[in-house]
Amino acid sequence: MASNKGLADKIWHNGQFIPWSDANIHVMSHVVHYGTAVFEGIRCYKTNKGSAIFRLPEHVKRLFNSAKIYRMTPPDFSYEQIYQACIDSVKENSFEECYIRPVIFRGLGEFGVNPLNSPIETYIITWFWGKYLGPEALEKGVEVQVASWNRFSPNTLPALAKAGANYMNSQLIKMEAIEHGYAEGIALDTYGYVSEGSGENIFIVRDGIIYTPPICASVLPGITRHSIIKLAKEFGYKVREEMVPREILYIADEVFFTGTAAEVTPICSIDKIHIGNGRRGPITKKLQEEFFGILSGEKEDRFGWLQYI
Ligand code: PPE
């Protein structure tokens, strides 16, 4: 593993590897003032057949989609080059497992809201990132609250773009949860339906049927979400992407979060109301075992999700 306490020694910047300590930007950069960034979060896992990146094509595609929405597609780098640069970043830093964070932003150029005259900078950062919601979360589950903050309304900040500025909303949700002693918050959309966590999608199990909010509920179209839907359907469960009223959360049999960082994390209580028996539920466990089984190489990668490096 790389030195630097789990941080990469080298960071990819506009086609070249530079030392960690040189990866700095000017305070007048557009992104600093206006949040002009789109990014990805990807995990590389240590499998029994070597290191492998999980669903790299989908992540790079989403990065380019986010950039397209904000008219900041890197002029000098193609999808294929960024794809390869993610693989190279893991190799260059000798990571066996790590988190990969490509970020595209507007740098130092013309000042003022208009972003078009500020250059597009692309970086790929890697580091070791452990369990997102605490070491015991995957088994014991987390205690969460419904946030007082909503996700953004349609046609305000585009939820389908993974943009830096969206995370100001996430930060409000997260800080409130932490202040109240919870691990995370679940935000509703502006119509009052369940949306997602500050950095995770959400699934609800009720009477053997699995529900998750549709993409029009101000959610990020999660790649883990997509993977869990696939696995659940393969097991024969009915999966419904439909609007979820808040109170279904409290009377659900199981609720869990999904995300690259959070992986598949059970939720044991919401607003101090126990979910099911207050422990990780059987369907959550089954999906976790299948998910982590593929990521460790123990179960067959029948969907071609792993890119060996
Ligand atoms: N919703 C939000 C708002 C979100 O940020 C993420 C990922 C997801 C859903 C799940 O998407 P996916 O990773 O494709 O399954 N959040 C990333 C950033 C977390 C952070 O704290 O930074 C992540 O999990 O990598």
Side-chain angles (χ1 to χ4, degrees), residues 41 59 62 99 101 129 132 151 162 167 196-201 220 222-225 258-261:
H59 280 286
R62 191 172 64 187
Y99 185 82
R101 166 65 52 89
W129 210 358
Y132 191 59
R151 292 303 270 172
K162 193 169 171 66
Y167 288 82
E196 60 178 350
S198 76
E200 310 89 357
N201 292 114
L220 184 77
I223 290 159
T224 320
R225 171 185 182 275
T258 64
T260 300

Side-chain angles (χ1 to χ4, degrees), residues 245-302:
R246 172 177 180 167
E247 59 273 26
I248 290 216
L249 295 173
Y250 305 123
I251 56 175
D253 301 320
E254 304 177 32
V255 184
F256 60 90
F257 280 134
T258 64
T260 300
E263 299 170 310
V264 179
T265 300
I267 294 172
C268 53
S269 75
I270 303 173
D271 295 330
K272 308 256 183 218
I273 299 176
H274 280 162
I275 304 308
N277 62 9
R279 302 215 179 117
R280 171 174 66 182
I283 295 178
T284 309
K285 184 163 184 267
K286 200 166 155 181
L287 290 166
Q288 275 185 325
E289 281 169 359
E290 203 58 31
F291 182 72
F292 289 117
I294 293 174
L295 298 176
S296 66
E298 280 153 38
K299 304 224 168 163
E300 196 203 333
D301 175 24
R302 61 257 186 211

Side-chain angles (χ1 to χ4, degrees), residues 4 10 53 61 71 97 101 147 151 178 189 220 266 274 278 306:
N4 227 352
K10 295 281 171 59
I53 303 177
K61 181 74 191 153
R71 300 171 200 260
E97 55 183 334
R101 166 65 52 89
R151 292 303 270 172
I178 290 169
D189 68 11
L220 184 77
H274 280 162
L306 300 178

Side-chain angles (χ1 to χ4, degrees), residues 40 45 49 76 84 127 142 154 175 178-179 181 218 245 263 289 293-294 303:
E40 267 308 313
Y45 285 94
K49 300 178 204 77
D76 302 322
Q84 188 57 44
W127 70 89
V142 287
M175 287 189 291
I178 290 169
E179 288 290 334
S218 301
E263 299 170 310
E289 281 169 359
I294 293 174
F303 303 110

